[in-house]
Amino acid sequence: MPRSALITGAASGIGRATAQALGAAGVALVLTDIDEGGLAETASGLAHARTLRCDVSVEDDVQAAVAFAVEAFGPLDVLVQSAGIEGPVAPLVQQTADEWARVFGVNVMGTFFGLRHALPVMARGGSVVNVASIAGLNAFPLHAAYAASKHAVVGITRTAAVESARAGIRVNAVCPGFTDTPMVEDGLRKAGQTVADLTRLIPARRLGTPAEVAAAIAYLCSDAAAYITGQTLVV
């Protein structure tokens, strides 16, 4: 397993589960989020974890988080970009420019800022995993801003993978389906739907768990995936 990792969006959901999975494997962690209380809860059960408030839509915050991680543990082995927001739940024509700017600020610019500042300080053999979504591969009615932003994350991932390959750094994405996270809960509430409404659409008839997505992320970060780059792993 890698020696050190920076994880964004680590206060809950997939980010928290990823921190737990990598931490259990002995990886030294820098955990970031805007939710400092949630960050503290995530870090409380981990032996080698430091936390830092970071708004990924603010480039200075991301640059500071990368510098903090390098100062703490040396060249980065892993960057997991899990921070993200859902945005408006409404027909496209009812969504506003401000709503789109906010979604793209976090989901797209946040991904860009992380890559821009982390790639130059990553160790050879390093791994980046961007958390996209099945909405980044398919249509997602009533979630146009979110779907567009996650399509962008997939495109950024593939391009960064090609550009980083000769430096020995891999860049992949995971595309979770409906997962039992606070974001999905919030989306259901906004849409007036229930978990049962979602599970009827899923062959397994259940939501995924954050731990199941984290296991896929941990695999992509590991030496077992040493020849895998530019891929989107649907979970």
Side-chain angles (χ1 to χ4, degrees):
M1 290 300 292
R3 189 178 68 85
S4 66
L6 170 62
I7 303 174
T8 71
S12 65
I14 291 168
R16 173 176 288 180
T18 300
Q20 292 167 339
L22 295 183
V27 179
L29 304 171
V30 170
L31 310 176
T32 73
D33 205 296
I34 60 171
D35 178 2
E36 294 180 273
L39 274 182
E41 290 180 19
T42 300
S44 64
L46 301 171
H48 303 290
R50 301 189 185 187
T51 64
L52 183 70
R53 187 189 186 281
C54 174
D55 180 345
V56 298
S57 69
V58 178
E59 185 169 11
D60 286 348
D61 277 19
V62 177
Q63 185 174 16
V66 171
F68 179 80
V70 171
E71 182 178 357
F73 302 120
L76 271 178
D77 294 300
V78 163
L79 170 66
V80 177
Q81 303 207 87
S82 182
I85 59 174
E86 181 183 39
V89 180
L92 184 152
V93 295
Q94 295 177 15
Q95 297 180 10
T96 68
D98 286 345
E99 289 172 328
W100 273 64
R102 181 168 177 265
V103 171
F104 269 64
V106 175
N107 296 357
V108 180
M109 297 307 295
T111 300
F112 163 64
F113 293 149
L115 289 166
R116 182 173 186 227
H117 292 287
L119 286 174
V121 298
M122 291 194 77
R124 188 168 186 87
S127 174
V128 177
V129 180
N130 298 320
V131 178
S133 169
I134 57 168
L137 302 172
N138 302 294
F140 196 14
L142 305 182
H143 298 78
Y146 180 77
S149 74
K150 292 302 185 176
H151 274 75
V153 170
V154 170
I156 293 167
T157 297
R158 291 171 173 164
T159 301
V162 174
E163 293 181 354
S164 303
R166 289 190 179 181
I169 298 168
R170 299 177 296 107
V171 186
N172 292 289
V174 293
C175 293
F178 291 113
T179 307
D180 188 8
T181 65
M183 180 185 291
V184 169
E185 292 175 5
D186 186 54
L188 286 172
R189 179 185 56 78
K190 290 177 181 175
Q193 295 179 313
T194 67
V195 171
D197 294 327
L198 280 187
T199 56
R200 280 195 290 269
L201 305 175
I202 301 170
R205 294 297 187 266
R206 69 174 179 86
L207 300 181
T209 69
E212 288 169 326
V213 181
I217 293 171
Y219 164 69
L220 289 173
C221 293
S222 74
D223 291 341
Y227 200 54
I228 298 175
T229 194
Q231 302 307 302
T232 52
L233 178 56
V234 178
V235 184

